């Protein structure tokens, strides 16, 4: 019997978090070290998946399946393909960095904070591994509780309003998804096996009903316009680690849901709803970018930028072609790294200044040059400068958009211009101009903070210069997904990697 690697990934952080209960709460240094150790080991546990993964097949790998509730045909069923493996790596990395950025900023209820974070990691791993609908739903709902606590207990002054809004939005959407799961169970041969459900044909009317039931959960999570309003408040009030996890992983789960369920299980409805979804995507791109130009709060600006960037993600998804889908998945990883890095940096500067007002900053390039260098790289990646990871994902998405619906790609391209405007304007206001009162004599980045930002900087450049390192995982799985959407054999051949077009 092979080692249950996926179960270990799910339950190791959960057990590691619960083990913190055995440490006296006064020993905060020990608790922080244990939380970091657990998160770091979890990251190392993802390496065998990468080394043993077979990129030449679309079938699920590292499969685990055991009867759980036989009377209802519910199984403990896990497996990953070339799409989900990238999200496991991203999740493990984000949690390690979130522990580091919380090292000094979290001084109240320290054990509870790190327990919540590690429980959240286990639930997120479960979402990306589950191949049984009920198991997926349990992990999906389980994520809500730790994030609710992280924002509601360790957040800012308006944390209660923000966390209740976040909870209600996501809960309502999840309940509608549960209705869809039950309908699918009744019409899909009384099984919750996601792979079996994706291999069946359903009437178009039923598919449309199910599409909107799933849309309610996934669109809120993305978040798509107009159900995005919970995101800025949650980001603004969350502690730095909460914002990093929200931007880095949680909002990717909505797009992942579309990929894993809506496209392969409901192909006819997906094609029928392609134009409305593309329209919502381009609205989000332009709306989010324009709203960013009016922001005075640093975290709210980055939060609204996520609405715009995730619009690109859904644009690529519903272009329904190879380049669009691969660019969309890659951009989810890129956005998690870039926006996560920006929120890490904002958390570090907030610890020193205790303000998020952009107007209060100025001249940080001269007072904190190392910090300014990191932030410049993250800004350029958010803008999509060639040579950074942000460029590759957006380039593929626009290629896919032009192949599918040129009008959508043209409008989306305007979002790139607006994105460069608000991000470079933000950098100019914070790091240049005259040094404002309160910005002199700020403490330079310490070694822990540099080590927190450095992995993000390295990955931003590495993916930007060698994108095939990630794209190679996607080619076969995305090709198979398109076969399911368009009909077996109709999706066309898997396109060569992007690097074959580059000098």
């Amino acid at each position: 019997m092979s080692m249950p690697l996926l179960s270990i990934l799910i339950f190791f952080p959960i057990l590691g978090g619960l083990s913190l209960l055995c440490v006296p709460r006064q020993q905060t240094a020990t608790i922080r070290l244990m939380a970091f150790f657990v998160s770091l080991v979890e990251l190392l546990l993802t390496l065998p998946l990468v080394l043993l993964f077979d990129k030449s097949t679309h079938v699920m790998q590292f499969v685990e399946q055991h009867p759980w509730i036989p009377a209802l045909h519910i199984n403990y069923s896990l497996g990953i393909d070339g799409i989900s493996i990238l999200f496991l790596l991203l999740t493990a990395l984000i949690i390690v960095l979130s522990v580091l950025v919380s090292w000094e900023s979290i001084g109240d209820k320290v054990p509870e904070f790190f327990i919540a974070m590690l429980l959240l990691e286990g639930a997120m791993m479960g979402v990306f591994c589950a191949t049984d609908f009920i198991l997926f739903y349990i992990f999906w709902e389980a994520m809500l509780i730790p994030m609710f606590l992280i924002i509601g207990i360790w957040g800012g002054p308006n944390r209660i309003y923000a966390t209740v809004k976040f909870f209600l939005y996501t809960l309502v959407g999840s309940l509608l998804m549960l209705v869809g799961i039950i309908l699918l169970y009744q019409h899909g041969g009384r099984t919750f096996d996601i792979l079996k459900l994706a291999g069946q044909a359903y009437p178009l009317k039923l598919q449309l009903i199910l599409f909107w039931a799933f849309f309610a959960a996934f669109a809120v999570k993305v978040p798509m316009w107009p159900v995005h309003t919970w995101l800025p408040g949650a980001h603004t009030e969350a502690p730095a680690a909460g914002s990093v996890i929200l931007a880095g992983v949680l909002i990717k789960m909505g797009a992942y849901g579309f990929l894993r369920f809506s496209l392969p299980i409901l192909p006819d409805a997906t094609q029928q709803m392609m134009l409305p979804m593309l329209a919502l995507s381009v609205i989000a791109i332009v709306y989010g970018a324009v709203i960013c130009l009016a922001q005075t709060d640093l975290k709210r600006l980055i939060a609204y930028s996520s609405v715009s960037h995730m619009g690109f993600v859904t644009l690529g998804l519903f272009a329904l072609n190879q380049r669009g889908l691969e660019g969309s998945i890659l951009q989810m990883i890129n956005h998690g790294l870039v926006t996560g890095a920006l929120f890490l940096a904002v958390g570090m500067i907030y610890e020193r200044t205790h303000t998020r007002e952009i107007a209060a900053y100025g001249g940080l390039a001269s007072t904190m040059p190392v910090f300014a260098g990191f932030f410049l790289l993250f800004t350029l990646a958010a803008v999509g400068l060639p040579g950074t990871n942000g460029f590759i994902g957006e380039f593929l998405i626009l290629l896919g958009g032009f192949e599918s619906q040129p009008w959508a790609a043209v409008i989306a391209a305007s979002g790139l211009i607006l994105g460069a405007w608000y991000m470079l304007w933000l950098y100019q206001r914070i790091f240049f101009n005259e040094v404002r009162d309160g910005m002199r004599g700020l403490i330079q980045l310490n070694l822990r903070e540099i080590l927190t930002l450095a992995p993000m900087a390295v990955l931003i450049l590495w993916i930007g210069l060698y994108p095939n390192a990630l794209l190679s995982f996607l080619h076969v799985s995305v090709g198979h997904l398109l076969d399911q959407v368009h009909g077996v054999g109709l999706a066309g051949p898997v396109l060569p990697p992007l690097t074959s077009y580059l000098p």
Side-chain angles (χ1 to χ4, degrees):
M1 182 178 178
S2 59
M3 182 176 293
L5 290 175
L6 300 185
S7 290
I8 292 172
L9 278 179
I10 294 169
F11 292 105
F12 177 74
I14 294 174
L15 294 175
L18 295 177
S19 70
L20 298 182
L21 294 171
C22 302
V23 182
R25 61 184 307 108
Q26 298 83 4
Q27 299 180 14
T28 55
T30 303
I31 291 169
R32 293 186 176 100
L33 284 171
M34 287 182 62
F36 175 70
F37 174 78
V38 171
S39 63
L40 183 61
V41 171
E42 178 79 352
L43 178 60
L44 295 176
L45 288 173
T46 62
L47 297 183
L49 300 180
V50 177
L51 297 174
L52 299 174
F53 191 83
D54 183 0
K55 300 178 185 178
S56 64
T57 178
H58 68 268
V59 300
M60 289 290 175
Q61 301 180 43
F62 309 101
V63 173
E64 302 174 37
Q65 190 161 22
H66 308 283
W68 185 15
I69 309 177
L72 296 177
H73 306 96
I74 299 174
N75 297 314
Y76 176 80
S77 180
L78 305 174
I80 59 172
D81 61 3
I83 296 172
S84 45
I85 189 173
L86 298 182
F87 292 102
L88 297 180
L89 297 172
L90 177 66
T91 301
L93 175 64
I94 289 293
I95 295 297
V96 172
L97 302 181
S98 297
V99 170
L100 287 175
V101 81
S102 307
W103 203 266
E104 295 179 357
S105 61
I106 301 298
D108 185 36
K109 300 182 177 66
V110 175
E112 291 84 352
F113 178 83
F114 289 109
I115 290 171
M117 186 178 295
L118 293 172
L119 293 179
L120 178 59
E121 181 175 22
M124 292 189 296
M125 289 292 188
V127 166
F128 294 127
C129 294
T131 56
D132 180 276
F133 246 130
I134 295 299
L135 187 64
F136 168 85
Y137 186 79
I138 290 171
F139 286 127
W140 180 275
E141 291 293 88
M143 295 186 305
L144 286 179
I145 301 170
M147 183 52 68
F148 177 85
L149 296 175
I150 287 172
I151 301 173
I153 297 176
W154 294 276
N158 296 319
R159 60 186 181 274
I160 301 302
Y161 172 80
T163 194
V164 168
K165 189 173 184 179
F166 157 74
F167 188 84
L168 290 179
Y169 265 65
T170 50
L171 180 63
V172 170
S174 297
L175 291 175
L176 290 173
M177 179 174 68
L178 180 60
V179 173
I181 292 172
I182 295 171
L183 279 175
L184 200 55
Y185 171 77
Q186 293 176 335
H187 292 272
R190 295 194 172 273
T191 180
F192 290 107
D193 189 303
I194 294 168
L195 301 181
K196 291 180 181 178
L197 291 170
Q200 302 184 39
Y202 306 97
L204 178 59
K205 183 177 180 180
L206 175 64
Q207 286 194 38
L208 290 171
I209 293 172
L210 292 170
F211 183 91
W212 288 108
F214 291 148
F215 175 87
F218 302 148
V220 167
K221 213 68 160 202
V222 167
M224 296 181 70
W225 182 90
V227 289
H228 66 284
T229 57
W230 64 268
L231 182 66
H235 269 312
T236 302
E237 299 304 323
S243 294
V244 172
I245 296 170
L246 268 175
V249 185
L250 277 186
I251 66 175
K252 308 300 178 297
M253 290 182 175
Y256 178 80
F258 283 126
L259 275 170
R260 184 61 72 213
F261 309 117
S262 300
L263 271 64
I265 298 176
L266 314 171
D268 299 327
T270 296
Q271 294 185 66
Q272 183 136 334
M273 298 309 302
M274 180 179 73
L275 292 180
M277 297 300 288
L278 291 178
L280 290 175
S281 299
V282 296
I283 290 173
I285 291 169
V286 177
Y287 168 84
V290 170
I291 292 296
C292 284
L293 293 169
Q295 296 307 308
T296 59
D297 184 289
L298 186 52
K299 288 186 77 173
R300 289 186 75 87
L301 187 150
I302 299 173
Y304 274 111
S305 76
S306 292
V307 176
S308 184
H309 286 297
M310 291 304 292
F312 277 100
V313 168
T314 52
L315 173 65
L317 284 181
F318 289 94
L320 300 182
N321 55 42
Q322 187 89 21
R323 288 193 180 95
L325 274 171
E326 288 189 3
S328 175
I329 298 166
L330 183 61
Q331 190 62 8
M332 282 191 263
I333 304 298
N334 293 339
H335 178 266
L337 295 173
V338 174
T339 308
L342 287 170
F343 277 119
L344 286 172
V346 170
M348 292 174 187
I349 196 65
Y350 180 77
E351 286 184 35
R352 291 162 168 78
T353 63
H354 301 290
T355 180
R356 294 190 303 265
E357 288 297 315
I358 299 172
Y361 289 91
L364 291 190
S366 60
T367 60
M368 296 185 68
V370 175
F371 179 77
F374 275 116
F375 206 98
L376 178 61
L377 176 60
F378 304 150
T379 298
L380 295 177
V383 168
L385 183 75
T388 65
N389 62 347
F391 169 75
I392 301 299
E394 291 175 350
F395 178 63
L396 279 174
I397 289 169
L398 290 178
L399 280 179
F402 274 110
E403 290 176 10
S404 178
Q405 297 291 331
W407 62 269
V410 170
I411 298 174
S414 67
L416 299 179
I417 301 171
L418 292 170
W421 182 0
Y422 66 72
M423 286 305 300
L424 294 177
W425 188 33
L426 171 69
Y427 192 86
Q428 184 264 332
R429 286 182 287 173
I430 292 177
F431 292 94
F432 298 120
N433 299 332
E434 60 179 325
V435 180
R436 295 188 178 275
D437 294 337
M439 297 297 128
R440 294 182 175 87
L442 294 178
I443 300 172
Q444 301 296 317
L445 293 182
N446 57 40
L447 180 60
R448 172 183 58 83
E449 292 170 323
I450 292 174
L451 292 177
T452 302
L453 297 177
M456 294 298 213
V458 171
L459 288 171
I460 284 169
L461 293 173
W462 179 55
I463 297 172
L465 296 173
Y466 185 55
N468 204 46
L470 299 189
L471 289 173
S472 61
F473 285 94
L474 301 177
H475 297 319
V476 176
S477 293
V478 169
H480 175 67
L481 178 58
L482 287 170
D483 285 343
Q484 292 176 296
V485 173
H486 296 293
V488 176
L490 298 180
V494 174
L495 295 175
L498 176 65
T499 47
S500 65
Y501 298 98
L502 299 177

